[in-house]
Amino acid sequence: MFKDDLKDTIAAISTPQGEGGIGIVRLSGEKALTVADKIFVSSEKGKPSGFKSHTVHYGRITDNGKMVDEVLLTVMRGPKSYTRQDIVEINCHGGLLSLRRILDLTVQHGCRLAGPGEFTRRAFLNGRIDLAQAEAVIDLIRAKTASALKVSLGQLEGGLSRRIGKIREGVMEILVILEANIDFPEEDIRGYDAEKISSGLHAAIRQMDILLEGSFGGRILREGLQAVICGKPNVGKSSLLNALLKKERSIVTPVAGTTRDTIEEAVDVRGIPVRLVDTAGILKPRNLIEKKAVKRSRERIASADLVILLFDAGRRIGLRDKELVRELKNRNVIAVINKIDLKAQIDKKEISGFFPRVVELAARTGRNLELLEEAIFDFACRGRALNPEHILLSNLRHIHALRDARGLLEEADRMLRGDSSLELITQDLKDACAYLDNILGKDFSAELLDKIFADFCIGK
Ligand SMILES: Nc1nc2c(ncn2[C@@H]2O[C@H](COP(=O)(O)OP(=O)(O)OP(=O)(O)O)[C@@H](O)[C@H]2O)c(=O)[nH]1
Ligand SMILES: [Mg+2]
């Protein structure tokens, strides 16, 4: 388990591994400036510990008088810095060796290597940002589309935190009234105030619902929509994957059973990040390889947000197709009739009887591909515009916590209308607040922080 020691001065390479125009070594902590004093020389008067905050200085990093690299050094004194501690950033040439040597030097002079996300963790622990904002940092780095980036920027700027804070405030106000009533039961405020309390609870629940409504889209923008292409062998699944990706990623042949393993690729469908999966055709396995291939296909189908079920326009619907239709009856399916360039044998009406959304296209030529893209986009938006400006909730941890808090408020409301004791009701409200606090990180455990920051890159 990670142990926070904010007294340590931490150091890390903050730019990606590999060659680059510039690379950055970042230090944070009370010794950042004195360590910089020991390794930085310049023609300017004074040393980093004497430099003004938020200034950049040209010079060299040296090791025992020998030059290591030519650099620009930035000084940011706490509390006006990312971590609220003194920060030094050394911009050097972006070769791995130069970066490593500078990092080594900082360690020799008293820094400790930073853990994943430890700079952001400090920003949180020192109260510059709350936990939801800290989590937005990694989402921002990982964002795959412009819309996903907008959502995480909104969270980083505190949009989600403010909304959660407001809901919490509302719940706290109710708690205060109820607790007063517990303390002074003789002044029976229950009759009249029950109305007021109930309307307060409803207002909080409504606010939660607004956030939760956007969360489907938010989660998709954050994690990507997993869409699995499936169907009988040879219907053109791999051709469709390639067409959507606009590159020859999957092997396509006229031989049934070409694809054996699942193939996953990311694609941007009108701003929606989609994780597209090509699967092996569902067939009656003739050998162990096919058995494993079909098993894998089924696993991917089971975990998909959206299933793209392919049919071959040039063939009648067969037993296997029907089997798949039955299996997928209660799932989110877009039915695709592929190979519309061929003479139609398939009964389209039968398919639209199974699934409301049917798209006809030719994967080989790309004809009508835009109709499928539209259908995927519509599914992700669920009939509403997926407007990143209105989405604040995207992280599964936040979604679960908010749902749990909502459940407790509903229960409290039910109890209020019955004759449950006020103690029980207030306990529910307190627990609901605890869930909300958990989102913002007002109450946290080292384990939770470890779990969240383990996903971060070192140096962030
Ligand atoms: N006429 C026509 N043929 C197509 C179309 N799309 C794919 N095909 C052909 O159908 C054959 C099978 O295509 P694949 O994409 O390999 O089919 P698959 O569903 O991935 O097949 P398996 O991996 O074996 O399950 C190939 O010969 C493709 O060129 C289309 O729109 N029209
Ligand atoms: Mg294939």
Side-chain angles (χ1 to χ4, degrees):
M1 198 175 71
F2 192 92
K3 205 166 162 301
D4 283 299
D5 194 343
L6 298 174
K7 286 215 160 311
D8 287 353
T9 299
I10 52 172
I13 297 171
S14 284
T15 36
Q17 299 276 318
E19 286 177 23
I22 53 167
I24 300 177
V25 174
R26 193 191 229 180
L27 323 182
S28 171
E30 56 193 26
K31 282 191 287 189
L33 289 162
T34 47
V35 169
D37 285 351
K38 288 180 193 150
I39 61 175
F40 179 76
V41 284
S42 81
S43 54
E44 289 178 52
K45 265 200 238 116
K47 291 190 165 280
S49 55
F51 293 160
K52 270 199 183 147
S53 186
H54 293 77
T55 52
V56 184
H57 305 267
Y58 170 75
R60 297 165 166 198
I61 297 294
T62 59
D63 180 7
N64 277 327
K66 276 194 264 153
M67 162 142 156
V68 175
D69 201 356
E70 187 186 19
V71 303
L72 282 174
L73 180 137
T74 310
V75 171
M76 286 163 279
R77 291 173 191 275
K80 283 196 166 173
S81 73
Y82 188 64
T83 57
R84 283 205 165 156
Q85 301 181 314
D86 288 346
I87 285 192
V88 170
E89 280 182 7
I90 302 168
N91 282 36
C92 62
H93 290 107
L96 199 56
L97 267 180
S98 154
L99 280 161
R100 289 236 171 105
R101 280 189 66 192
I102 296 173
L103 182 65
D104 278 351
L105 270 176
T106 65
V107 173
Q108 276 171 37
H109 289 287
C111 289
R112 158 169 80 67
L113 292 178
E118 201 174 349
F119 292 89
T120 309
R121 188 172 173 133
R122 286 189 171 190
F124 163 67
L125 289 170
N126 287 330
R128 196 179 72 77
I129 50 177
D130 63 41
L131 200 53
Q133 288 174 303
E135 288 169 289
V137 171
I138 191 72
D139 289 354
L140 192 128
I141 294 172
R142 298 239 167 100
K144 297 281 186 301
T145 64
S147 312
L149 188 73
K150 256 195 190 148
V151 172
S152 38
L153 268 173
Q155 293 168 342
L156 185 61
E157 286 178 340
L160 174 65
S161 310
R162 279 192 294 275
R163 292 283 279 277
I164 298 285
K166 264 207 122 71
I167 295 173
R168 186 183 184 281
E169 242 171 61
V171 179
M172 284 306 283
E173 276 170 23
I174 300 170
L175 252 174
V176 170
I177 301 176
L178 289 180
E179 286 192 323
N181 206 32
I182 294 174
D183 295 339
F184 307 101
E186 65 282 2
E187 299 167 32
D188 185 18
I189 57 167
R190 192 155 183 183
Y192 166 71
D193 276 330
E195 276 302 306
K196 189 173 162 199
I197 287 164
S198 182
S199 78
L201 282 177
H202 287 163
I205 290 172
R206 234 184 350 267
Q207 287 304 311
M208 290 172 159
D209 284 342
I210 292 172
L211 285 175
L212 285 166
E213 235 173 60
S215 69
F216 175 78
R219 195 179 65 80
I220 281 175
L221 287 181
R222 178 175 188 259
E223 292 165 22
L225 174 85
Q226 185 160 113
V228 172
I229 307 174
C230 71
K232 276 195 317 192
N234 219 35
V235 289
K237 300 179 290 301
S238 303
S239 306
L240 183 63
L241 176 95
N242 293 345
L244 286 166
L245 291 177
K246 298 180 178 56
K247 69 177 181 200
E248 296 304 305
R249 170 68 180 83
S250 240
I251 298 173
V252 169
T253 76
V255 182
T258 300
T259 307
R260 295 297 179 93
D261 212 341
T262 50
I263 292 173
E264 179 168 340
E265 284 283 324
V267 57
D268 180 338
V269 177
R270 304 189 185 179
I272 313 281
V274 178
R275 290 181 289 135
L276 205 57
V277 185
D278 179 21
T279 58
I282 300 290
L283 46 78
K284 196 169 176 161
R286 291 163 297 191
N287 54 42
L288 191 61
I289 302 176
E290 288 183 353
K291 201 171 157 191
K292 289 207 164 174
V294 171
K295 180 167 175 266
R296 192 157 284 191
S297 297
R298 288 198 190 283
E299 283 166 3
R300 294 313 289 263
I301 294 168
S303 65
D305 296 308
L306 174 67
V307 180
I308 301 175
L309 175 59
L310 244 65
F311 298 90
D312 184 334
R315 290 171 178 271
R316 284 181 213 289
I317 297 175
L319 268 179
R320 288 269 151 215
D321 291 314
K322 287 203 171 141
E323 216 175 278
L324 272 168
V325 166
R326 263 200 306 280
E327 272 178 48
L328 296 172
K329 218 168 51 201
N330 297 319
R331 301 288 306 278
N332 297 312
V333 175
I334 298 175
V336 172
I337 300 176
N338 185 31
K339 310 194 190 181
I340 52 166
D341 51 309
L342 299 180
K343 190 167 175 302
Q345 297 285 335
I346 202 160
D347 182 354
K348 289 176 201 162
K349 279 218 191 82
E350 199 177 349
I351 294 177
S352 35
F354 299 138
F355 303 107
R357 190 100 202 198
V358 184
V359 176
E360 297 175 49
L361 54 77
R364 187 141 83 182
T365 61
R367 198 172 130 204
N368 284 358
L369 199 65
E370 68 283 359
L371 296 183
L372 176 60
E373 288 173 340
E374 194 179 302
I376 295 173
F377 179 80
D378 284 351
F379 169 74
C381 298
R382 293 251 169 117
R384 259 172 265 118
L386 211 163
N387 186 346
E389 319 263 343
H390 298 151
I391 295 176
L392 283 170
L393 204 60
S394 61
N395 180 317
L396 212 54
R397 188 182 80 80
H398 306 161
I399 296 172
H400 283 310
L402 196 64
R403 273 200 200 127
D404 289 341
R406 188 192 183 284
L408 287 165
L409 294 195
E410 277 210 315
E411 192 179 283
D413 187 43
R414 256 197 315 277
M415 289 202 287
L416 203 65
R417 277 181 275 123
D419 54 4
S420 302
S421 77
L422 284 189
E423 276 89 348
L424 279 178
I425 299 172
T426 53
Q427 191 54 49
D428 270 2
L429 297 187
K430 280 184 195 157
D431 291 347
C433 280
Y435 278 118
L436 298 176
D437 286 348
N438 198 257
I439 296 177
L440 303 179
K442 281 192 184 179
D443 108 63
F444 60 89
S445 64
E447 280 100 328
L448 175 68
L449 294 195
D450 286 349
K451 214 168 125 208
I452 289 171
F453 288 102
D455 268 1
F456 271 63
C457 26
I458 295 213
K460 185 63 218 175

